[in-house]
């Protein structure tokens, strides 16, 4: 093969909307793998990017009143910064399919495959799933809907160029059968084999009647099918056709990491494109499972997206990365809940890891004057040194098999063993007996050394935690190589520097979506902000918990009428997302009833109902007033009724 670069890719995402936690899931996983291989001293190429052409983007841009390029530019810039930047995605290249370097490659391979008879012109009738950008023949539909996602499909009939996939059916089946590692996990491999055995049809790879795509060379009526265009990104980014030397060192890819719904594109269509081009096939296509919300895939077109940035803002980047990488065995589906994220952070990070660090540094402080004591092998029980070696081996095996969560489980187990070791060795008891000094020194050394090793092992997964651990045990240099995760590297005499707890516990009494940082910890933002920013207000401080008792929600006024016999009150019907409520409000002097119809308001949804002029009022509207002026409060942009204000 002669290649020397370890090359990993993510799918290139559609910039049709902001990305959500599902996209972050794949990208953080690829990032962890890339960081791990760099740590092993390999030259890594980690590529992600955006798939910018296609009908869906064209339609979405038009709906937003923008030309497609301007539309995608905005979203792509957000994806790069802040989204991937804040998640610490260490990509080496971000490829956009609208870039010249890519357009040239796609047109060149189209031309070449046409010239050699692998692409021909014909006509197409079939069904198109717009959200998935995929074509289906009648027989593949399930209940008349897209077999992948179950959404409605639209009929298309047009002249089209076809890619002669049928010609390669045998070869691709043989390749899959002969290379068990090619499609992983194995269940996806079996699915693909049966898909191929059912017969491969030639693939329609061009469309007419739309302009947002790469033109077919020499036939500007047609643009190239977005998947044919998108898959080629993997060789564009490796330098195909433009930087032959770099391409030779980089291709084939070691891993294409993708969600399970697009394994077919990557393990059938893409390899056939490569075969037709005479190029080597990627080593592995790994189809991981989905993050689900309830029992549905998190996805923008299903309208239940979870925003990674707001999670980072609430919990910090490392808890979010830890959760994504640890919670679900890589490959399986898993249900996303914020409660589980909070639990993981509290148990694994705040409790197990955080306590190991704070107990160790506290004991080095008390029993060794804050300096890492010497280690004398003849007095050592070998427990932690052995466990650390086992852990390193487990991490390596897991990461080589793309079992990312397995690697983290192994590290967490080492942390657990070290915590148990404190209970077993009881350093405080050893400290009372001067004859036990060498033993005490070794115990303290082994604990601090285990933490240093943990900091090395965690560094592919977490961004800030490894250096925060190292600061406290007095190691100034950042982690540079996996080989440092070997027992004995910590220098005796290093002065520790106790610091803040690694992860403040997120208070369990708080609903996670309300923020939930531990408000009793000294560094908790709410407490210190209040203490530093000014005198206590005349009304006294309230706690967040007090504020959270008030259930504020967005509603829409559906009807409004005056209440007979008063010149102050209006009787409103407000829809709160679940039902219509009657609300009697003293705003008549300021609003004509008809001016309120359709208006969005904020209501106190858990105010005890009260009778006003014989009418039961089920809530209260928020309004601001000053010197005779009054204005109802509402969201600046329309929100779904029932949205919580917090
Ligand atoms: N543009 C195509 C990919 C072309 S690759 C040559 C595409 N884009 S996408 O924006 O829809 O992204 C799909 C990918 O995002 C999935 O394959 C997966 O990697 C990730 N995920 C999106 N939602 C996800 C979940 N709910 N759970 C896990 N991964 C998810 O398809």
């Amino acid at each position: 093969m002669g290649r020397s670069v370890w090359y990993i890719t993510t799918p290139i995402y559609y910039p049709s909307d902001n990305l959500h936690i599902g996209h972050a899931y794949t990208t953080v996983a690829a990032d962890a793998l890339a960081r791990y291989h760099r740590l092993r001293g390999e030259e890594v190429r980690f590529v992600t990017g955006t798939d910018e052409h296609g009908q869906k983007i064209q339609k979405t841009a038009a709906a937003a009143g923008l030309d497609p390029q301007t539309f995608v530019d905005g979203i792509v810039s957000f994806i790069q910064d802040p989204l991937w930047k804040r998640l610490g995605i260490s990509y080496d290249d971000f490829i956009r399919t609208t870039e010249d370097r890519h357009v040239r490659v796609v047109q060149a391979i189209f031309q070449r495959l046409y010239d050699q008879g692998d692409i021909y012109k014909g006509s197409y009738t079939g069904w198109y799933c717009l959200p998935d950008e995929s074509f289906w023949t009648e027989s593949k539909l399930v209940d008349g809907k897209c077999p992948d996602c179950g959404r409605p499909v639209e009929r298309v009939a047009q002249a089209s160029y076809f890619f002669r996939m049928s010609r390669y059916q045998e070869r691709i089946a043989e390749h899959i059968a002969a290379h068990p590692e090619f499609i992983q996990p194995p269940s996806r491999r079996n699915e693909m084999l049966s898909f191929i055995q059912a017969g491969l049809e030639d693939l329609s790879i061009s469309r007419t009647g739309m302009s947002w795509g790469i033109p077919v060379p020499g036939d500007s009526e047609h643009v190239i099918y977005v998947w044919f265009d998108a898959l080629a990104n993997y060789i564009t980014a490796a330098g195909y056709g433009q930087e032959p030397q770099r391409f030779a060192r980089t291709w084939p890819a070691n891993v294409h990491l993708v969600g399970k719904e697009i394994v077919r594109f990557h393990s059938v269509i893409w390899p056939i494109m490569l075969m037709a081009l005479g190029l080597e096939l990627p080593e592995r296509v790994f189809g991981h499972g989905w993050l689900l919300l309830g029992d549905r895939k998190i996805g923008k077109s299903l309208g239940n997206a979870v925003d990674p940035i707001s999670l980072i803002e609430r919990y910090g980047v490392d808890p979010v990365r830890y959760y994504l990488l640890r919670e679900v065995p890589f490959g399986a589906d898993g249900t996303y809940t914020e409660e589980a994220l909070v639990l993981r952070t509290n148990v694994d990070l705040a409790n197990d890891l955080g306590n190991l660090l704070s107990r160790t540094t506290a004991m080095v402080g008390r029993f060794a004057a804050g300096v890492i004591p010497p280690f004398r092998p003849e007095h050592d029980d070998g427990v932690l040194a052995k466990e650390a070696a086992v852990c390193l081996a487990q991490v390596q095996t897991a990461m080589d098999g793309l079992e990312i969560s397995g690697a983290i489980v192994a590290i967490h187990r080492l942390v657990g063993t070290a915590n148990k070791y404190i209970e077993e060795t009881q350093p405080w008891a050893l400290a009372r007996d001067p004859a036990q000094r060498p033993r005490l020194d070794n115990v303290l050394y082994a604990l601090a050394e285990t933490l240093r090793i943990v900091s090395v092992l965690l560094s592919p997964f977490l961004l800030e935690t490894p250096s925060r651990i190292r600061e406290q045990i007095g190691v100034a240099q950042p982690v540079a190589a996996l080989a440092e995760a070997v027992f004995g590297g910590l220098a005796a005499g290093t002065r520790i520097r106790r610091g803040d707890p690694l992860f403040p516990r997120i208070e369990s009494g708080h609903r996670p979506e309300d923020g939930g940082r531990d408000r009793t910890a000294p560094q908790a933002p709410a407490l210190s902000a209040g203490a530093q920013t000014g005198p206590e207000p005349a009304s006294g401080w309230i706690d967040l918990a007090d504020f959270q008792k008030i259930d504020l929600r967005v509603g829409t006024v559906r009807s409004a009428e005056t209440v007979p016999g008063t010149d102050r009150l209006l009787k409103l019907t407000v829809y709160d997302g679940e039902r219509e409520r009657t609300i009697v409000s003293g705003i008549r002097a300021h609003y004509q009833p008809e001016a309120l119809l359709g208006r969005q308001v904020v209501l106190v949804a858990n105010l005890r109902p009260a009778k006003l002029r014989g009418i039961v009022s089920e809530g209260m509207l928020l309004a601001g007033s000053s010197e005779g002026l009054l204005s109802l409060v509402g969201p600046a942009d329309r929100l779904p009724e029932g949205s919580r204000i917090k």
Side-chain angles (χ1 to χ4, degrees):
M1 266 187 221
R3 121 191 102 94
S4 50
V5 172
W6 194 82
Y7 181 26
I8 181 166
T9 66
T10 72
I12 49 171
Y13 305 110
Y14 294 125
S16 52
D17 200 347
N18 285 335
L19 304 187
H20 53 71
I21 194 84
H23 303 103
Y25 181 64
T26 316
T27 317
V28 168
D31 180 68
L33 288 163
R35 286 174 185 264
Y36 169 76
H37 281 268
R38 286 191 201 111
L39 209 59
R40 285 217 315 214
E42 292 167 63
E43 185 184 343
V44 168
R45 190 118 191 123
F46 166 27
V47 177
T48 187
T50 39
D51 182 359
E52 306 187 3
H53 293 121
Q55 207 179 359
K56 186 167 70 173
I57 303 267
Q58 188 174 340
K59 280 195 175 170
T60 318
L66 294 172
D67 70 276
Q69 189 67 57
T70 311
F71 175 78
V72 294
D73 284 351
I75 293 187
V76 170
S77 133
F78 184 86
I79 293 173
Q80 293 174 330
D81 182 4
L83 184 60
W84 291 161
K85 191 164 184 193
R86 293 200 61 182
L87 271 170
I89 307 302
S90 61
Y91 56 78
D92 300 294
D93 191 0
F94 188 102
I95 181 159
R96 302 183 55 181
T97 54
T98 49
E99 288 172 275
D100 275 354
R101 59 169 171 161
H102 181 66
V103 173
R104 279 201 298 272
V105 166
V106 172
Q107 291 191 320
I109 66 181
F110 192 101
Q111 187 68 54
R112 173 164 168 192
L113 299 186
Y114 183 79
D115 293 344
Q116 70 190 38
D118 278 318
I119 292 179
Y120 62 92
K121 197 169 181 181
S123 77
Y124 180 80
T125 47
W127 298 91
Y128 195 65
C129 172
L130 192 54
D132 284 354
E133 299 272 17
S134 58
F135 290 110
W136 299 100
T137 53
E138 183 91 36
S139 63
K140 290 259 164 51
L141 301 183
V142 175
D143 298 332
K145 304 235 169 84
C146 171
D148 269 354
C149 69
R151 285 174 286 208
V153 285
E154 35 179 273
R155 188 155 182 83
V156 283
Q158 54 187 219
S160 174
Y161 287 86
F162 284 84
F163 179 38
R164 216 181 282 282
M165 303 247 296
S166 50
R167 190 185 259 180
Y168 294 88
Q169 174 164 340
E170 294 300 308
R171 275 181 64 191
I172 184 69
E174 278 165 23
H175 184 87
I176 295 174
H179 296 86
E181 73 295 343
F182 177 57
I183 304 178
Q184 288 181 350
S187 55
R188 316 245 190 271
R189 179 166 173 260
N190 299 335
E191 271 170 46
M192 286 307 115
L193 276 172
S194 14
F195 179 83
I196 295 167
Q197 271 141 21
L200 286 187
E201 289 160 18
D202 291 347
L203 179 70
S204 164
I205 52 160
S206 76
R207 304 216 55 188
T208 54
M210 61 170 286
S211 54
W212 186 237
I214 301 180
V216 166
D219 190 349
S220 54
E221 293 276 285
H222 289 253
V223 297
I224 296 173
Y225 172 43
V226 63
W227 269 101
F228 190 89
D229 158 356
L231 288 163
N233 93 83
Y234 300 128
I235 52 174
T236 306
Y240 177 75
Q242 327 203 14
E243 291 174 71
Q245 281 173 357
R246 185 160 73 78
F247 185 69
R249 298 182 63 235
T250 313
W251 191 258
N254 296 69
V255 185
H256 288 319
L257 201 59
V258 301
K260 64 179 182 181
E261 79 290 357
I262 57 173
V263 168
R264 185 172 60 87
F265 292 93
H266 286 80
S267 61
V268 182
I269 302 178
W270 175 227
I272 293 181
M273 287 169 69
L274 290 165
M275 283 175 175
L277 290 168
L279 294 174
E280 281 186 76
L281 305 198
E283 237 165 58
R284 279 196 262 194
V285 173
F286 189 94
H288 65 67
W290 287 341
L291 278 191
L292 310 170
L293 244 173
D295 55 1
R296 302 178 73 198
K297 174 170 178 261
I298 299 177
K300 45 197 172 212
S301 34
L302 296 179
N304 53 11
V306 178
D307 172 25
I309 303 245
S310 67
L311 288 181
I312 294 177
E313 263 156 20
R314 260 176 276 170
Y315 302 112
V317 66
D318 280 355
V320 173
R321 283 179 63 112
Y322 188 86
Y323 170 76
L324 289 175
L325 296 170
R326 163 65 186 89
E327 192 68 14
V328 186
F330 204 53
D333 286 350
T335 301
Y336 165 84
T337 69
E338 206 160 322
E339 286 80 2
L341 192 162
V342 168
L343 202 66
R344 273 283 161 224
T345 308
N346 280 346
V347 174
D348 291 17
L349 298 177
N351 202 52
D352 298 345
L353 180 59
N355 280 349
L356 178 62
L357 180 65
S358 68
R359 292 163 90 192
T360 301
T361 52
M363 290 189 298
V364 172
R366 272 181 60 197
F367 307 137
V371 172
I372 304 290
F375 180 75
R376 301 179 190 87
E378 67 278 16
H379 292 284
D380 193 46
D381 52 30
V383 170
L384 290 183
K386 179 169 150 274
E387 286 301 321
V390 169
C391 179
L392 172 62
Q394 286 172 336
V395 168
Q396 284 175 306
T397 311
M399 290 304 270
D400 290 345
L402 305 189
E403 289 172 28
I404 301 177
S405 54
I408 300 182
V409 169
I411 303 169
H412 183 231
R413 208 179 295 128
L414 177 61
V415 169
T417 308
N419 272 321
K420 219 160 73 205
Y421 187 69
I422 299 179
E423 303 311 321
E424 286 162 4
T425 54
Q426 305 210 341
W428 46 92
L430 298 175
R432 287 196 289 267
D433 177 1
Q436 295 285 358
R437 185 76 230 177
R439 168 100 175 112
L440 174 62
D441 284 352
N442 273 20
V443 166
L444 296 179
Y445 180 93
L447 288 168
E449 175 59 341
T450 302
L451 278 160
R452 187 192 63 82
I453 290 172
V454 165
S455 77
V456 177
L457 295 176
L458 278 179
S459 59
F461 313 105
L462 303 185
L463 304 179
E464 296 163 354
T465 307
S467 56
R468 293 184 58 213
I469 295 175
R470 292 162 85 85
E471 263 161 37
Q472 296 208 23
I473 56 171
V475 178
Q477 314 86 315
V479 177
L482 191 66
E484 292 167 16
V486 170
F487 199 90
L490 182 60
T494 307
R495 177 158 289 282
I496 59 148
R497 292 201 305 179
R498 297 206 67 197
D500 290 339
L502 269 187
F503 294 93
R505 264 186 84 77
I506 303 164
E507 229 173 82
S508 57
H510 286 272
R511 284 182 45 196
E513 59 270 38
D514 295 333
R517 289 278 185 183
D518 183 355
R519 261 157 286 282
T520 57
Q523 74 285 15
L527 194 65
S528 54
Q532 285 158 14
T533 51
E536 178 168 351
S539 54
W541 294 116
I542 62 164
D543 290 321
L544 192 62
D546 298 325
F547 173 72
Q548 283 166 346
K549 282 189 195 147
I550 308 173
D551 185 0
L552 296 173
R553 290 187 188 264
V554 173
T556 300
V557 178
R558 290 212 167 147
S559 72
E561 59 192 74
T562 52
V563 177
T566 113
D567 50 11
R568 225 175 50 80
L569 299 180
L570 288 182
K571 177 184 164 199
L572 310 170
T573 315
V574 177
Y575 178 62
D576 68 3
E578 283 174 10
R579 64 187 179 93
E580 289 188 343
R581 296 167 180 248
T582 300
I583 294 180
V584 178
S585 179
I587 55 173
R588 179 165 171 191
H590 306 275
Y591 289 99
Q592 291 299 324
E594 55 281 9
L596 293 173
L597 297 182
R599 189 173 174 129
Q600 289 211 304
V601 289
V602 173
L603 59 118
V604 182
N606 58 349
L607 191 68
R608 199 184 303 284
K611 235 182 201 176
L612 292 165
R613 296 279 167 147
I615 307 168
V616 177
S617 180
E618 308 162 273
M620 181 179 114
L621 300 189
L622 293 195
S625 65
S626 173
E627 298 178 341
L629 291 173
L630 181 139
S631 176
L632 281 171
V633 170
D637 300 301
R638 285 194 89 81
L639 280 171
E641 286 87 359
S643 300
R644 194 90 210 251
I645 311 279
K646 45 196 184 180

